[in-house]
Amino acid sequence: MSTVSKKIMMGSGATASAYEIDQSAIFNSSSLVRTPSSTGNRKKFTISVWVKRTKLGQLEYVYGGQSVNETDLYFSDTDTLNFFGYQGGALTWGWGTTRVFRDVGAWYHIVAIFDSANSTQALRARLFVNGEEQPENGATSLAVTLNQDSMMNLAGTPQYIGRLFSASYPLYYSGYMAEFHFLDGAATVASNFGETNSDTGQWVPKKYSGGGYGTNGFYLKFVSGAIGTDSSGEGNNMTVTNLANSAVVTDTPTNNCMTLNPLDTGSSTLSQGNLTLVTSSHSDTSGTMRLPNTGKWYWEVTCTTVGGAYFGIYKTS
């Protein structure tokens, strides 16, 4: 028996926002890549991206560098978030969180900042999640030295979104991704990309207006038919691999949709951003939605093979 839900409309944490994000892309063994032809600023850059995870407990790279010269932003196999740099295969700087990120029903806004030109050591590598600066995990960190060069913005060094460089060990990111900004030569805080909703107290997106993108900067909206197109005005388009237009969906930070819960699958297998379930035997599987106290809500399910499927609401106890 196979059951499929292509577009689940039930809200799970969606918030009112003046700025709406229309689409995201579901990553699964897919990626984008660009190789800079000109060297930009290697001492200062900012990454801002919204992600919604679908798998936990494994290494997953949101952003990865090439071969022995890397700048990596990834979830560890313990679900912490790490921001590391390598040169010649050796770790030259590293910044990891103690906090874990295991909510598969929530969108996380990640801002990673590198600024080795800053005279204050604590401000040279920073991570923000949903507007909050994350405390550093001293056990996994290595300080950025003053005016240290990163491997970002280096001509001839490919930069990947959604995977690590290795062909045999790519460590793909699994989940949704929206609003990817990369600023070459600017170290700017999370409040330039998001804000706290005064009604709900939740962190929500806002239109970026903090300045230019620099030589190698880009802005990806993940629009169907133009998934790798740079919308920053710099023309730094990305090459897309295994990311079809069908992977573009309406589940976004401003329209958070319910998905199936990977922590409660029984004997089932989930795929397609946790929207597709396949099972060969009876198996209870829940969604990521918490029942709201007010309002009217619904979801849609398509059953492709009839074999005794049940759909509805039940108590987890």
Side-chain angles (χ1 to χ4, degrees), residues 150-174:
S150 71
M151 291 296 103
M152 293 291 281
N153 299 312
L154 181 61
T157 299
Q159 308 292 333
Y160 295 89
I161 292 175
R163 62 167 290 179
L164 185 61
F165 67 90
S166 172
S168 58
Y169 200 49
L171 301 175
Y172 287 107
Y173 166 73
S174 299

Side-chain angles (χ1 to χ4, degrees), residues 63-82:
Y63 198 93
Q66 180 269 337
S67 189
V68 296
N69 297 322
E70 306 172 38
T71 299
D72 301 327
L73 178 64
Y74 67 97
F75 290 102
S76 72
D77 54 6
T78 58
D79 300 311
T80 60
L81 185 61
N82 293 314

Side-chain angles (χ1 to χ4, degrees), residues 14-20 194-205 254:
T15 58
S17 174
Y19 179 63
E20 296 293 329
E195 59 191 351
T196 300
N197 184 296
S198 59
D199 295 326
T200 66
Q202 290 181 287
W203 186 256
V204 296
T254 55

Side-chain angles (χ1 to χ4, degrees), residues 222-234:
F222 301 112
V223 176
S224 179
I227 296 175
T229 299
D230 174 23
S231 296
S232 73
E234 298 295 335

Side-chain angles (χ1 to χ4, degrees), residues 65-300:
Q66 180 269 337
S67 189
V68 296
N69 297 322
E70 306 172 38
T71 299
D72 301 327
L73 178 64
Y74 67 97
F75 290 102
S76 72
D77 54 6
T78 58
D79 300 311
T80 60
L81 185 61
N82 293 314
F83 183 35
F84 283 5
Y86 294 83
Q87 188 168 354
L91 180 67
T92 55
W93 60 272
W95 203 109
T97 67
T98 54
R99 179 183 172 187
V100 297
F101 301 93
R102 293 175 176 155
D103 190 343
V104 292
W107 280 91
Y108 293 113
H109 179 219
I110 300 171
V111 175
I113 302 167
F114 184 89
D115 185 8
S116 69
N118 199 303
S119 59
T120 303
Q121 193 278 324
L123 300 180
R124 293 175 194 159
R126 308 170 73 185
L127 274 174
F128 291 78
V129 179
N130 293 345
E132 297 181 356
E133 186 161 10
Q134 301 301 298
E136 186 176 7
N137 182 353
T140 61
S141 299
L142 181 63
V144 178
T145 60
L146 184 64
N147 291 318
Q148 179 176 348
D149 279 335
S150 71
M151 291 296 103
M152 293 291 281
N153 299 312
L154 181 61
T157 299
Q159 308 292 333
Y160 295 89
I161 292 175
R163 62 167 290 179
L164 185 61
F165 67 90
S166 172
S168 58
Y169 200 49
L171 301 175
Y172 287 107
Y173 166 73
S174 299
Y176 299 75
M177 202 178 293
E179 288 283 290
F180 200 118
H181 294 268
F182 174 63
L183 311 181
D184 175 359
T188 185
V189 293
S191 57
N192 280 327
F193 306 95
E195 59 191 351
T196 300
N197 184 296
S198 59
D199 295 326
T200 66
Q202 290 181 287
W203 186 256
V204 296
K206 74 176 185 181
K207 185 176 178 62
Y208 173 69
S209 58
Y213 287 82
T215 302
N216 294 301
F218 56 82
Y219 167 33
L220 299 180
K221 296 181 179 180
F222 301 112
V223 176
S224 179
I227 296 175
T229 299
D230 174 23
S231 296
S232 73
E234 298 295 335
N236 294 323
N237 300 325
M238 311 283 288
T239 299
V240 179
T241 302
N242 295 331
L243 195 59
N245 291 329
S246 59
V248 176
V249 294
T250 58
D251 189 340
T252 74
T254 55
N255 181 43
N256 192 9
C257 300
M258 187 181 77
T259 58
L260 297 169
N261 187 353
L263 304 179
D264 183 26
T265 61
S267 60
S268 305
T269 300
L270 302 184
S271 62
Q272 194 189 0
N274 292 344
L275 298 179
T276 298
L277 176 148
V278 177
T279 183
S280 58
S281 62
H282 175 76
S283 178
D284 292 333
T285 302
S286 64
T288 56
M289 185 274 299
R290 298 177 181 88
L291 277 179
N293 294 322
T294 60
K296 295 181 179 180
W297 306 80
Y298 83 102
W299 69 91
E300 297 175 354

